[in-house]
Amino acid sequence: MTYQRKSTKNGWTLFLLVLTGIVLGGFIGNLAQGVPYLKWLDFGYKFGMVGNPLEIDLKVIELTFKILIRITVSSILGVALSLFVYRKL
């Protein structure tokens, strides 16, 4: 009788690890903003609805939609680290 180990790798684990890598990388990049020799970690690009957001006024409910994505060096490093951790699981 052989027992098979259930794999812990699945889509949700990958999603949560990548999301954690993005958030922690962005946080570290934000902290590194004021440090002269770590300033390069916060270098990045913003894209999305940078200007005015989409607003819908229905007189009862007012809806505002805006999306902004900010990719920095530290967030890319965070994603790379999270993918490395995922492969080691």
Side-chain angles (χ1 to χ4, degrees):
M1 191 182 263
T2 60
Y3 293 101
Q4 292 181 353
R5 183 178 162 204
K6 186 177 179 183
S7 177
T8 58
K9 290 185 177 184
N10 62 31
W12 286 108
T13 305
L14 177 63
F15 175 73
L16 289 175
L17 279 173
V18 169
L19 189 63
T20 303
I22 290 170
V23 170
L24 287 178
F27 180 69
I28 290 170
N30 197 17
L31 287 177
Q33 238 176 4
V35 183
Y37 55 90
L38 292 177
K39 200 178 212 179
W40 60 273
L41 285 172
D42 196 44
F43 177 76
Y45 185 72
K46 293 180 189 177
F47 62 92
M49 298 177 78
V50 180
N52 296 330
L54 175 66
E55 295 179 359
I56 300 172
D57 186 7
L58 301 173
K59 300 297 180 194
V60 176
I61 297 174
E62 202 171 299
L63 300 171
T64 304
F65 296 102
K66 182 175 182 177
I67 187 165
L68 180 67
I69 298 172
R70 185 171 173 245
I71 298 175
T72 61
V73 173
S74 60
S75 64
I76 293 171
L77 291 174
V79 168
L81 182 64
S82 68
L83 291 175
F84 176 75
V85 168
Y86 180 73
R87 290 199 47 154
K88 291 295 181 180
L89 286 178

